[in-house]
Amino acid sequence: MFLVRKTKQRDAIQQVFEEAERPLSPDEVRAEADKLFPGIGIATIYRNLKSLVETGHLKVVEIPGAAALYEVSGLAHHHHFQCDDCEKVYDIPGCPGNLDHMTPPGFQVSSHSITLFGTCPDCKE
Amino acid sequence: MFLVRKTKQRDAIQQVFEEAERPLSPDEVRAEADKLFPGIGIATIYRNLKSLVETGHLKVVEIPGAAALYEVSGLAHHHHFQCDDCEKVYDIPGCPGNLDHMTPPGFQVSSHSITLFGTCPDCKE
DNA sequence: ATGGGTGCAAATTGTTTGCATTTTA
DNA sequence: TAAAATGCAAACAATTTGCACCCAT
């Protein structure tokens, strides 16, 4: 990918993320983008997700035991919650902060990932 | 799987875990088990891993962005470290403890997962 | 008109499953 | 010797890639 050109499909995908309120899977992105650009192919979704991550527009959200999700970058440092029931993933603010006391001697930490699991408000009845 | 019978292959797989000092991938298990029982098939590895998890002998270790690993169960609550370089995963003791302050109102937390990323001692030169 | 982008289908990777055969109890 | 376990290969699901064609610049 040398130069990144503007296309209807790419615009549609970016717009999907601007309107999303939680991290989305490639299939969810496809379903939403298809409303804006009917017939968009799944390979196009994957290719654009990858290039949007490379250009810094999106970030990959990795949840343990699940396929990758994507969200707009530029949000403050935060973590995620996955509902045990509906499996949707939500952004949650906050961070326990310094995890140095968990770092064993000889190891050097560059980043961390925290995911909470449980029941989301929608599924809590 | 009704009754679980003892087989040479299953014994080999269990022995691999008794000697492992970190979580292993199915392929690593196969490589080690193959030394104890040459020719063991990958399907047998997967089937036994699944049943050993069901019987409580093993636990699945899910690292964000990586395929599932397995380790013996019965260890104290702990978390994991993945090396950015060699990608090996290590157990690390400790836990920041109460993460309630990260739980947004309306959500109910049942468990959490913490993974530290960085450089392991082996790769630190 | 040229080089990047798209859609489709084939290829990959990690994991599971169907089935004929072997092994355990 | 009946039921469970194995090995192999085919089936799957998620993601990537090759290629002919299309569309921005």
Short mmCIF file of all heavy atoms in Angstrom, two decimals, chain C:
data_model
loop_
_atom_site.label_atom_id
_atom_site.label_comp_id
_atom_site.label_asym_id
_atom_site.label_seq_id
_atom_site.Cartn_x
_atom_site.Cartn_y
_atom_site.Cartn_z
P DA C 1 -5.04 6.80 -23.08
OP1 DA C 1 -4.36 7.05 -24.31
OP2 DA C 1 -5.80 5.58 -22.88
"O5'" DA C 1 -3.99 6.94 -21.87
"C5'" DA C 1 -2.58 7.02 -22.11
"C4'" DA C 1 -1.93 6.51 -20.86
"O4'" DA C 1 -2.68 7.04 -19.74
"C3'" DA C 1 -1.98 4.99 -20.73
"O3'" DA C 1 -0.87 4.43 -20.07
"C2'" DA C 1 -3.25 4.76 -19.92
"C1'" DA C 1 -3.26 5.97 -18.99
N9 DA C 1 -4.60 6.39 -18.56
C8 DA C 1 -5.79 6.12 -19.15
N7 DA C 1 -6.83 6.63 -18.53
C5 DA C 1 -6.25 7.29 -17.45
C6 DA C 1 -6.80 8.03 -16.40
N6 DA C 1 -8.12 8.26 -16.27
N1 DA C 1 -5.96 8.56 -15.49
C2 DA C 1 -4.66 8.34 -15.63
N3 DA C 1 -4.03 7.67 -16.58
C4 DA C 1 -4.89 7.15 -17.47
P DT C 2 0.55 4.75 -19.71
OP1 DT C 2 0.87 6.16 -19.99
OP2 DT C 2 1.44 3.74 -20.21
"O5'" DT C 2 0.44 4.55 -18.13
"C5'" DT C 2 0.83 5.65 -17.31
"C4'" DT C 2 0.55 5.36 -15.84
"O4'" DT C 2 -0.86 5.56 -15.53
"C3'" DT C 2 0.90 3.94 -15.36
"O3'" DT C 2 1.45 4.09 -14.06
"C2'" DT C 2 -0.46 3.25 -15.31
"C1'" DT C 2 -1.34 4.41 -14.84
N1 DT C 2 -2.80 4.35 -15.12
C2 DT C 2 -3.63 5.04 -14.28
O2 DT C 2 -3.24 5.68 -13.33
N3 DT C 2 -4.96 4.96 -14.60
C4 DT C 2 -5.53 4.29 -15.65
O4 DT C 2 -6.75 4.31 -15.83
C5 DT C 2 -4.60 3.57 -16.51
C7 DT C 2 -5.09 2.79 -17.67
C6 DT C 2 -3.29 3.63 -16.21
P DG C 3 2.49 3.06 -13.40
OP1 DG C 3 3.82 3.68 -13.48
OP2 DG C 3 2.26 1.71 -13.97
"O5'" DG C 3 2.03 3.06 -11.88
"C5'" DG C 3 1.79 4.31 -11.22
"C4'" DG C 3 0.70 4.10 -10.18
"O4'" DG C 3 -0.59 3.96 -10.84
"C3'" DG C 3 0.89 2.82 -9.35
"O3'" DG C 3 0.50 3.09 -8.01
"C2'" DG C 3 -0.06 1.83 -10.00
"C1'" DG C 3 -1.20 2.75 -10.43
N9 DG C 3 -2.00 2.24 -11.53
C8 DG C 3 -1.61 1.45 -12.58
N7 DG C 3 -2.57 1.17 -13.40
C5 DG C 3 -3.68 1.81 -12.87
C6 DG C 3 -5.02 1.86 -13.33
O6 DG C 3 -5.51 1.34 -14.34
N1 DG C 3 -5.82 2.64 -12.49
C2 DG C 3 -5.38 3.27 -11.36
N2 DG C 3 -6.29 3.97 -10.67
N3 DG C 3 -4.14 3.23 -10.92
C4 DG C 3 -3.34 2.49 -11.73
P DG C 4 0.78 2.03 -6.86
OP1 DG C 4 1.89 2.46 -6.00
OP2 DG C 4 0.79 0.69 -7.48
"O5'" DG C 4 -0.56 2.18 -6.01
"C5'" DG C 4 -0.98 3.47 -5.61
"C4'" DG C 4 -2.47 3.47 -5.37
"O4'" DG C 4 -3.16 3.12 -6.61
"C3'" DG C 4 -2.92 2.42 -4.35
"O3'" DG C 4 -4.01 2.97 -3.61
"C2'" DG C 4 -3.36 1.25 -5.20
"C1'" DG C 4 -3.95 1.96 -6.41
N9 DG C 4 -3.91 1.17 -7.63
C8 DG C 4 -2.81 0.54 -8.19
N7 DG C 4 -3.11 -0.10 -9.30
C5 DG C 4 -4.46 0.12 -9.48
C6 DG C 4 -5.33 -0.32 -10.51
O6 DG C 4 -5.07 -1.02 -11.50
N1 DG C 4 -6.64 0.14 -10.30
C2 DG C 4 -7.04 0.91 -9.25
N2 DG C 4 -8.33 1.24 -9.20
N3 DG C 4 -6.23 1.33 -8.28
C4 DG C 4 -4.97 0.91 -8.47
P DG C 5 -4.80 2.08 -2.58
OP1 DG C 5 -5.22 2.97 -1.49
OP2 DG C 5 -4.02 0.85 -2.32
"O5'" DG C 5 -6.09 1.67 -3.39
"C5'" DG C 5 -7.10 2.65 -3.64
"C4'" DG C 5 -8.42 1.94 -3.96
"O4'" DG C 5 -8.28 1.23 -5.20
"C3'" DG C 5 -8.81 0.89 -2.90
"O3'" DG C 5 -10.22 1.00 -2.70
"C2'" DG C 5 -8.41 -0.43 -3.52
"C1'" DG C 5 -8.57 -0.15 -5.01
N9 DG C 5 -7.65 -0.90 -5.87
C8 DG C 5 -6.30 -1.07 -5.70
N7 DG C 5 -5.75 -1.79 -6.65
C5 DG C 5 -6.81 -2.12 -7.49
C6 DG C 5 -6.83 -2.88 -8.69
O6 DG C 5 -5.90 -3.44 -9.26
N1 DG C 5 -8.12 -2.96 -9.22
C2 DG C 5 -9.23 -2.38 -8.67
N2 DG C 5 -10.38 -2.57 -9.31
N3 DG C 5 -9.22 -1.65 -7.55
C4 DG C 5 -7.98 -1.56 -7.02
P DT C 6 -11.02 0.00 -1.78
OP1 DT C 6 -12.13 0.75 -1.16
OP2 DT C 6 -10.06 -0.74 -0.96
"O5'" DT C 6 -11.63 -0.97 -2.87
"C5'" DT C 6 -12.45 -0.42 -3.89
"C4'" DT C 6 -13.17 -1.52 -4.66
"O4'" DT C 6 -12.23 -2.14 -5.56
"C3'" DT C 6 -13.72 -2.63 -3.75
"O3'" DT C 6 -15.06 -2.90 -4.07
"C2'" DT C 6 -12.83 -3.82 -4.03
"C1'" DT C 6 -12.29 -3.54 -5.44
N1 DT C 6 -10.92 -4.04 -5.65
C2 DT C 6 -10.66 -4.81 -6.76
O2 DT C 6 -11.49 -5.11 -7.58
N3 DT C 6 -9.35 -5.22 -6.85
C4 DT C 6 -8.32 -4.96 -5.98
O4 DT C 6 -7.19 -5.39 -6.19
C5 DT C 6 -8.67 -4.15 -4.85
C7 DT C 6 -7.63 -3.80 -3.82
C6 DT C 6 -9.94 -3.72 -4.73
P DG C 7 -15.93 -3.86 -3.16
OP1 DG C 7 -17.29 -3.31 -3.02
OP2 DG C 7 -15.14 -4.20 -1.95
"O5'" DG C 7 -16.01 -5.16 -4.07
"C5'" DG C 7 -16.61 -5.09 -5.35
"C4'" DG C 7 -16.54 -6.45 -6.03
"O4'" DG C 7 -15.16 -6.75 -6.33
"C3'" DG C 7 -17.05 -7.61 -5.15
"O3'" DG C 7 -17.86 -8.45 -5.96
"C2'" DG C 7 -15.78 -8.29 -4.67
"C1'" DG C 7 -14.78 -7.99 -5.78
N9 DG C 7 -13.41 -7.84 -5.32
C8 DG C 7 -12.99 -7.20 -4.17
N7 DG C 7 -11.69 -7.20 -4.03
C5 DG C 7 -11.21 -7.87 -5.15
C6 DG C 7 -9.87 -8.17 -5.54
O6 DG C 7 -8.83 -7.89 -4.96
N1 DG C 7 -9.84 -8.86 -6.75
C2 DG C 7 -10.94 -9.22 -7.48
N2 DG C 7 -10.71 -9.89 -8.60
N3 DG C 7 -12.20 -8.95 -7.12
C4 DG C 7 -12.26 -8.27 -5.96
P DC C 8 -18.73 -9.64 -5.33
OP1 DC C 8 -20.01 -9.67 -6.06
OP2 DC C 8 -18.70 -9.51 -3.86
"O5'" DC C 8 -17.91 -10.93 -5.75
"C5'" DC C 8 -17.53 -11.09 -7.13
"C4'" DC C 8 -16.49 -12.19 -7.23
"O4'" DC C 8 -15.19 -11.68 -6.87
"C3'" DC C 8 -16.76 -13.38 -6.30
"O3'" DC C 8 -16.83 -14.57 -7.06
"C2'" DC C 8 -15.59 -13.39 -5.35
"C1'" DC C 8 -14.51 -12.68 -6.15
N1 DC C 8 -13.49 -12.02 -5.31
C2 DC C 8 -12.15 -12.07 -5.71
O2 DC C 8 -11.86 -12.64 -6.76
N3 DC C 8 -11.21 -11.49 -4.94
C4 DC C 8 -11.57 -10.89 -3.79
N4 DC C 8 -10.59 -10.32 -3.06
C5 DC C 8 -12.93 -10.83 -3.36
C6 DC C 8 -13.85 -11.40 -4.14
P DA C 9 -17.27 -15.97 -6.32
OP1 DA C 9 -18.54 -16.41 -6.91
OP2 DA C 9 -17.17 -15.80 -4.86
"O5'" DA C 9 -16.11 -16.93 -6.79
"C5'" DA C 9 -15.14 -16.46 -7.74
"C4'" DA C 9 -13.80 -17.07 -7.40
"O4'" DA C 9 -13.05 -16.18 -6.53
"C3'" DA C 9 -13.87 -18.40 -6.65
"O3'" DA C 9 -12.81 -19.24 -7.09
"C2'" DA C 9 -13.70 -17.98 -5.20
"C1'" DA C 9 -12.68 -16.86 -5.34
N9 DA C 9 -12.68 -15.91 -4.25
C8 DA C 9 -13.74 -15.48 -3.50
N7 DA C 9 -13.42 -14.61 -2.57
C5 DA C 9 -12.05 -14.46 -2.71
C6 DA C 9 -11.11 -13.68 -2.02
N6 DA C 9 -11.41 -12.88 -1.01
N1 DA C 9 -9.82 -13.77 -2.42
C2 DA C 9 -9.52 -14.57 -3.44
N3 DA C 9 -10.32 -15.36 -4.17
C4 DA C 9 -11.59 -15.25 -3.74
P DA C 10 -12.74 -20.76 -6.56
OP1 DA C 10 -13.03 -21.58 -7.75
OP2 DA C 10 -13.52 -20.92 -5.32
"O5'" DA C 10 -11.20 -20.93 -6.21
"C5'" DA C 10 -10.20 -20.33 -7.04
"C4'" DA C 10 -8.93 -20.13 -6.22
"O4'" DA C 10 -9.15 -19.06 -5.27
"C3'" DA C 10 -8.54 -21.36 -5.41
"O3'" DA C 10 -7.12 -21.50 -5.44
"C2'" DA C 10 -9.04 -21.03 -4.01
"C1'" DA C 10 -8.83 -19.53 -3.96
N9 DA C 10 -9.71 -18.82 -3.01
C8 DA C 10 -11.05 -18.96 -2.83
N7 DA C 10 -11.55 -18.18 -1.89
C5 DA C 10 -10.45 -17.47 -1.44
C6 DA C 10 -10.32 -16.48 -0.44
N6 DA C 10 -11.32 -16.02 0.29
N1 DA C 10 -9.08 -15.98 -0.24
C2 DA C 10 -8.05 -16.45 -0.97
N3 DA C 10 -8.06 -17.38 -1.93
C4 DA C 10 -9.31 -17.85 -2.12
P DA C 11 -6.38 -22.58 -4.51
OP1 DA C 11 -5.27 -23.14 -5.31
OP2 DA C 11 -7.41 -23.47 -3.91
"O5'" DA C 11 -5.74 -21.72 -3.34
"C5'" DA C 11 -4.82 -20.68 -3.67
"C4'" DA C 11 -4.22 -20.12 -2.40
"O4'" DA C 11 -5.26 -19.44 -1.65
"C3'" DA C 11 -3.63 -21.17 -1.46
"O3'" DA C 11 -2.44 -20.62 -0.89
"C2'" DA C 11 -4.73 -21.36 -0.42
"C1'" DA C 11 -5.32 -19.96 -0.34
N9 DA C 11 -6.73 -19.88 0.10
C8 DA C 11 -7.79 -20.61 -0.36
N7 DA C 11 -8.93 -20.30 0.20
C5 DA C 11 -8.60 -19.29 1.09
C6 DA C 11 -9.37 -18.52 1.99
N6 DA C 11 -10.68 -18.66 2.15
N1 DA C 11 -8.73 -17.60 2.73
C2 DA C 11 -7.40 -17.45 2.58
N3 DA C 11 -6.58 -18.11 1.76
C4 DA C 11 -7.25 -19.02 1.03
P DT C 12 -1.37 -21.56 -0.15
OP1 DT C 12 -0.05 -21.23 -0.72
OP2 DT C 12 -1.86 -22.96 -0.15
"O5'" DT C 12 -1.42 -21.01 1.34
"C5'" DT C 12 -2.57 -20.27 1.76
"C4'" DT C 12 -2.28 -19.61 3.07
"O4'" DT C 12 -3.53 -19.12 3.57
"C3'" DT C 12 -1.75 -20.57 4.14
"O3'" DT C 12 -0.95 -19.84 5.06
"C2'" DT C 12 -3.02 -21.10 4.76
"C1'" DT C 12 -3.96 -19.90 4.68
N1 DT C 12 -5.39 -20.25 4.46
C2 DT C 12 -6.34 -19.55 5.17
O2 DT C 12 -6.06 -18.66 5.96
N3 DT C 12 -7.63 -19.91 4.92
C4 DT C 12 -8.06 -20.89 4.05
O4 DT C 12 -9.26 -21.12 3.92
C5 DT C 12 -7.01 -21.60 3.34
C7 DT C 12 -7.36 -22.69 2.38
C6 DT C 12 -5.74 -21.24 3.58
P DT C 13 -0.13 -20.66 6.19
OP1 DT C 13 1.15 -19.92 6.36
OP2 DT C 13 -0.12 -22.09 5.81
"O5'" DT C 13 -1.00 -20.50 7.50
"C5'" DT C 13 -1.46 -19.21 7.89
"C4'" DT C 13 -2.29 -19.33 9.14
"O4'" DT C 13 -3.67 -19.62 8.80
"C3'" DT C 13 -1.85 -20.46 10.09
"O3'" DT C 13 -1.88 -19.97 11.43
"C2'" DT C 13 -2.87 -21.55 9.86
"C1'" DT C 13 -4.11 -20.73 9.53
N1 DT C 13 -5.12 -21.43 8.69
C2 DT C 13 -6.45 -21.13 8.89
O2 DT C 13 -6.84 -20.35 9.76
N3 DT C 13 -7.33 -21.77 8.06
C4 DT C 13 -7.02 -22.67 7.06
O4 DT C 13 -7.90 -23.17 6.39
C5 DT C 13 -5.61 -22.94 6.89
C7 DT C 13 -5.17 -23.89 5.83
C6 DT C 13 -4.74 -22.30 7.70
P DG C 14 -1.39 -20.94 12.67
OP1 DG C 14 -0.56 -20.12 13.57
OP2 DG C 14 -0.87 -22.22 12.11
"O5'" DG C 14 -2.76 -21.25 13.41
"C5'" DG C 14 -3.62 -20.19 13.77
"C4'" DG C 14 -4.89 -20.76 14.36
"O4'" DG C 14 -5.70 -21.30 13.29
"C3'" DG C 14 -4.65 -21.91 15.35
"O3'" DG C 14 -5.56 -21.75 16.44
"C2'" DG C 14 -4.95 -23.15 14.54
"C1'" DG C 14 -6.02 -22.65 13.57
N9 DG C 14 -6.10 -23.37 12.31
C8 DG C 14 -5.08 -23.90 11.56
N7 DG C 14 -5.49 -24.49 10.47
C5 DG C 14 -6.86 -24.33 10.48
C6 DG C 14 -7.85 -24.75 9.57
O6 DG C 14 -7.71 -25.37 8.51
N1 DG C 14 -9.13 -24.38 9.98
C2 DG C 14 -9.40 -23.68 11.13
N2 DG C 14 -10.69 -23.41 11.38
N3 DG C 14 -8.50 -23.28 11.99
C4 DG C 14 -7.25 -23.64 11.61
P DT C 15 -5.61 -22.88 17.63
OP1 DT C 15 -5.99 -22.19 18.88
OP2 DT C 15 -4.38 -23.68 17.58
"O5'" DT C 15 -6.85 -23.78 17.20
"C5'" DT C 15 -8.11 -23.11 17.04
"C4'" DT C 15 -9.15 -24.09 16.56
"O4'" DT C 15 -8.84 -24.53 15.23
"C3'" DT C 15 -9.29 -25.35 17.41
"O3'" DT C 15 -10.62 -25.37 17.93
"C2'" DT C 15 -9.03 -26.49 16.44
"C1'" DT C 15 -9.31 -25.84 15.09
N1 DT C 15 -8.64 -26.44 13.91
C2 DT C 15 -9.43 -26.83 12.85
O2 DT C 15 -10.64 -26.71 12.84
N3 DT C 15 -8.75 -27.38 11.81
C4 DT C 15 -7.39 -27.57 11.69
O4 DT C 15 -6.89 -28.08 10.70
C5 DT C 15 -6.61 -27.14 12.84
C7 DT C 15 -5.13 -27.28 12.83
C6 DT C 15 -7.27 -26.59 13.88
P DT C 16 -11.21 -26.62 18.76
OP1 DT C 16 -12.16 -26.09 19.76
OP2 DT C 16 -10.10 -27.51 19.17
"O5'" DT C 16 -12.07 -27.36 17.63
"C5'" DT C 16 -12.96 -26.58 16.84
"C4'" DT C 16 -13.74 -27.50 15.91
"O4'" DT C 16 -12.90 -27.95 14.83
"C3'" DT C 16 -14.29 -28.77 16.58
"O3'" DT C 16 -15.63 -28.90 16.13
"C2'" DT C 16 -13.37 -29.87 16.07
"C1'" DT C 16 -13.02 -29.35 14.69
N1 DT C 16 -11.73 -29.80 14.12
C2 DT C 16 -11.72 -30.29 12.83
O2 DT C 16 -12.72 -30.39 12.16
N3 DT C 16 -10.48 -30.64 12.35
C4 DT C 16 -9.27 -30.56 13.03
O4 DT C 16 -8.23 -30.89 12.48
C5 DT C 16 -9.35 -30.06 14.39
C7 DT C 16 -8.12 -29.94 15.20
C6 DT C 16 -10.57 -29.70 14.86
P DT C 17 -16.61 -30.04 16.70
OP1 DT C 17 -17.91 -29.40 16.93
OP2 DT C 17 -15.93 -30.77 17.79
"O5'" DT C 17 -16.75 -31.04 15.45
"C5'" DT C 17 -16.81 -30.51 14.14
"C4'" DT C 17 -16.86 -31.66 13.14
"O4'" DT C 17 -15.52 -31.99 12.71
"C3'" DT C 17 -17.46 -32.97 13.68
"O3'" DT C 17 -18.22 -33.55 12.63
"C2'" DT C 17 -16.24 -33.80 14.01
"C1'" DT C 17 -15.29 -33.37 12.92
N1 DT C 17 -13.84 -33.50 13.21
C2 DT C 17 -13.02 -33.84 12.16
O2 DT C 17 -13.41 -34.09 11.04
N3 DT C 17 -11.68 -33.89 12.48
C4 DT C 17 -11.11 -33.64 13.71
O4 DT C 17 -9.89 -33.71 13.85
C5 DT C 17 -12.04 -33.29 14.75
C7 DT C 17 -11.52 -33.02 16.13
C6 DT C 17 -13.34 -33.24 14.46
P DG C 18 -19.28 -34.73 12.92
OP1 DG C 18 -20.63 -34.17 12.72
OP2 DG C 18 -18.94 -35.41 14.20
"O5'" DG C 18 -18.97 -35.74 11.73
"C5'" DG C 18 -18.82 -35.26 10.39
"C4'" DG C 18 -18.34 -36.40 9.49
"O4'" DG C 18 -16.91 -36.57 9.63
"C3'" DG C 18 -18.94 -37.75 9.82
"O3'" DG C 18 -19.08 -38.49 8.60
"C2'" DG C 18 -17.91 -38.38 10.75
"C1'" DG C 18 -16.60 -37.81 10.23
N9 DG C 18 -15.58 -37.55 11.24
C8 DG C 18 -15.76 -37.01 12.49
N7 DG C 18 -14.64 -36.85 13.15
C5 DG C 18 -13.66 -37.30 12.28
C6 DG C 18 -12.25 -37.36 12.43
O6 DG C 18 -11.57 -37.01 13.39
N1 DG C 18 -11.63 -37.90 11.31
C2 DG C 18 -12.29 -38.33 10.17
N2 DG C 18 -11.53 -38.82 9.20
N3 DG C 18 -13.60 -38.26 10.02
C4 DG C 18 -14.22 -37.74 11.11
P DC C 19 -19.78 -39.93 8.61
OP1 DC C 19 -20.45 -40.04 7.30
OP2 DC C 19 -20.54 -40.15 9.87
"O5'" DC C 19 -18.51 -40.89 8.59
"C5'" DC C 19 -17.45 -40.64 7.66
"C4'" DC C 19 -16.38 -41.70 7.81
"O4'" DC C 19 -15.37 -41.27 8.76
"C3'" DC C 19 -16.90 -43.03 8.35
"O3'" DC C 19 -16.21 -44.08 7.70
"C2'" DC C 19 -16.54 -42.98 9.82
"C1'" DC C 19 -15.19 -42.27 9.73
N1 DC C 19 -14.73 -41.64 10.97
C2 DC C 19 -13.35 -41.49 11.17
O2 DC C 19 -12.57 -41.88 10.30
N3 DC C 19 -12.92 -40.92 12.33
C4 DC C 19 -13.80 -40.51 13.24
N4 DC C 19 -13.32 -39.96 14.37
C5 DC C 19 -15.20 -40.66 13.05
C6 DC C 19 -15.62 -41.22 11.91
P DA C 20 -16.91 -45.58 7.57
OP1 DA C 20 -17.64 -45.53 6.31
OP2 DA C 20 -17.58 -45.96 8.82
"O5'" DA C 20 -15.63 -46.51 7.37
"C5'" DA C 20 -14.53 -46.06 6.58
"C4'" DA C 20 -13.23 -46.51 7.22
"O4'" DA C 20 -12.97 -45.71 8.41
"C3'" DA C 20 -13.25 -47.97 7.69
"O3'" DA C 20 -12.01 -48.59 7.36
"C2'" DA C 20 -13.47 -47.87 9.19
"C1'" DA C 20 -12.76 -46.56 9.53
N9 DA C 20 -13.25 -45.88 10.73
C8 DA C 20 -14.55 -45.73 11.13
N7 DA C 20 -14.70 -45.07 12.27
C5 DA C 20 -13.40 -44.76 12.63
C6 DA C 20 -12.86 -44.07 13.73
N6 DA C 20 -13.61 -43.53 14.70
N1 DA C 20 -11.51 -43.94 13.80
C2 DA C 20 -10.77 -44.48 12.81
N3 DA C 20 -11.15 -45.16 11.73
C4 DA C 20 -12.48 -45.26 11.70
P DT C 21 -11.69 -50.08 8.02
OP1 DT C 21 -10.86 -50.78 7.00
OP2 DT C 21 -12.94 -50.67 8.51
"O5'" DT C 21 -10.74 -49.77 9.26
"C5'" DT C 21 -9.61 -48.90 9.08
"C4'" DT C 21 -8.84 -48.82 10.39
"O4'" DT C 21 -9.60 -48.04 11.35
"C3'" DT C 21 -8.57 -50.18 11.06
"O3'" DT C 21 -7.21 -50.22 11.48
"C2'" DT C 21 -9.53 -50.19 12.24
"C1'" DT C 21 -9.60 -48.70 12.60
N1 DT C 21 -10.78 -48.27 13.35
C2 DT C 21 -10.59 -47.53 14.50
O2 DT C 21 -9.48 -47.23 14.91
N3 DT C 21 -11.75 -47.15 15.15
C4 DT C 21 -13.04 -47.44 14.78
O4 DT C 21 -13.98 -47.04 15.45
C5 DT C 21 -13.17 -48.22 13.57
C7 DT C 21 -14.53 -48.59 13.09
C6 DT C 21 -12.05 -48.59 12.92
P DT C 22 -6.60 -51.51 12.29
OP1 DT C 22 -5.27 -51.80 11.71
OP2 DT C 22 -7.65 -52.54 12.37
"O5'" DT C 22 -6.37 -50.93 13.76
"C5'" DT C 22 -5.59 -49.75 13.91
"C4'" DT C 22 -5.59 -49.33 15.37
"O4'" DT C 22 -6.93 -48.97 15.79
"C3'" DT C 22 -5.12 -50.42 16.34
"O3'" DT C 22 -4.21 -49.79 17.24
"C2'" DT C 22 -6.40 -50.87 17.03
"C1'" DT C 22 -7.23 -49.59 17.03
N1 DT C 22 -8.71 -49.73 17.08
C2 DT C 22 -9.41 -49.03 18.04
O2 DT C 22 -8.86 -48.35 18.89
N3 DT C 22 -10.77 -49.18 17.98
C4 DT C 22 -11.49 -49.92 17.08
O4 DT C 22 -12.71 -49.95 17.14
C5 DT C 22 -10.71 -50.64 16.11
C7 DT C 22 -11.39 -51.50 15.09
C6 DT C 22 -9.36 -50.51 16.14
P DT C 23 -3.45 -50.65 18.42
OP1 DT C 23 -2.09 -50.07 18.54
OP2 DT C 23 -3.65 -52.09 18.15
"O5'" DT C 23 -4.27 -50.26 19.72
"C5'" DT C 23 -4.44 -48.90 20.03
"C4'" DT C 23 -5.29 -48.77 21.27
"O4'" DT C 23 -6.69 -49.04 20.96
"C3'" DT C 23 -4.91 -49.73 22.40
"O3'" DT C 23 -4.86 -48.96 23.58
"C2'" DT C 23 -6.06 -50.74 22.44
"C1'" DT C 23 -7.23 -49.88 21.96
N1 DT C 23 -8.36 -50.60 21.32
C2 DT C 23 -9.64 -50.27 21.71
O2 DT C 23 -9.89 -49.45 22.57
N3 DT C 23 -10.63 -50.94 21.04
C4 DT C 23 -10.48 -51.88 20.05
O4 DT C 23 -11.46 -52.40 19.52
C5 DT C 23 -9.11 -52.19 19.69
C7 DT C 23 -8.82 -53.21 18.64
C6 DT C 23 -8.13 -51.54 20.34
P DT C 24 -4.22 -49.58 24.96
OP1 DT C 24 -3.10 -48.70 25.33
OP2 DT C 24 -4.00 -51.04 24.78
"O5'" DT C 24 -5.38 -49.36 26.03
"C5'" DT C 24 -6.07 -48.10 26.03
"C4'" DT C 24 -7.40 -48.27 26.73
"O4'" DT C 24 -8.33 -49.00 25.90
"C3'" DT C 24 -7.31 -49.03 28.06
"O3'" DT C 24 -8.04 -48.30 29.04
"C2'" DT C 24 -7.94 -50.38 27.75
"C1'" DT C 24 -8.93 -50.04 26.65
N1 DT C 24 -9.26 -51.11 25.68
C2 DT C 24 -10.57 -51.28 25.30
O2 DT C 24 -11.49 -50.62 25.75
N3 DT C 24 -10.78 -52.26 24.36
C4 DT C 24 -9.82 -53.07 23.78
O4 DT C 24 -10.15 -53.91 22.95
C5 DT C 24 -8.47 -52.85 24.23
C7 DT C 24 -7.37 -53.70 23.68
C6 DT C 24 -8.24 -51.89 25.15
P DA C 25 -7.91 -48.78 30.62
OP1 DA C 25 -7.91 -47.53 31.42
OP2 DA C 25 -6.83 -49.77 30.77
"O5'" DA C 25 -9.30 -49.50 30.88
"C5'" DA C 25 -10.51 -48.78 30.67
"C4'" DA C 25 -11.69 -49.72 30.84
"O4'" DA C 25 -11.71 -50.66 29.76
"C3'" DA C 25 -11.61 -50.56 32.12
"O3'" DA C 25 -12.92 -50.78 32.62
"C2'" DA C 25 -11.02 -51.87 31.64
"C1'" DA C 25 -11.67 -51.99 30.27
N9 DA C 25 -10.93 -52.81 29.31
C8 DA C 25 -9.59 -53.09 29.28
N7 DA C 25 -9.23 -53.87 28.29
C5 DA C 25 -10.42 -54.11 27.61
C6 DA C 25 -10.72 -54.87 26.47
N6 DA C 25 -9.81 -55.56 25.78
N1 DA C 25 -12.02 -54.89 26.07
C2 DA C 25 -12.93 -54.20 26.77
N3 DA C 25 -12.75 -53.46 27.86
C4 DA C 25 -11.47 -53.46 28.23
#
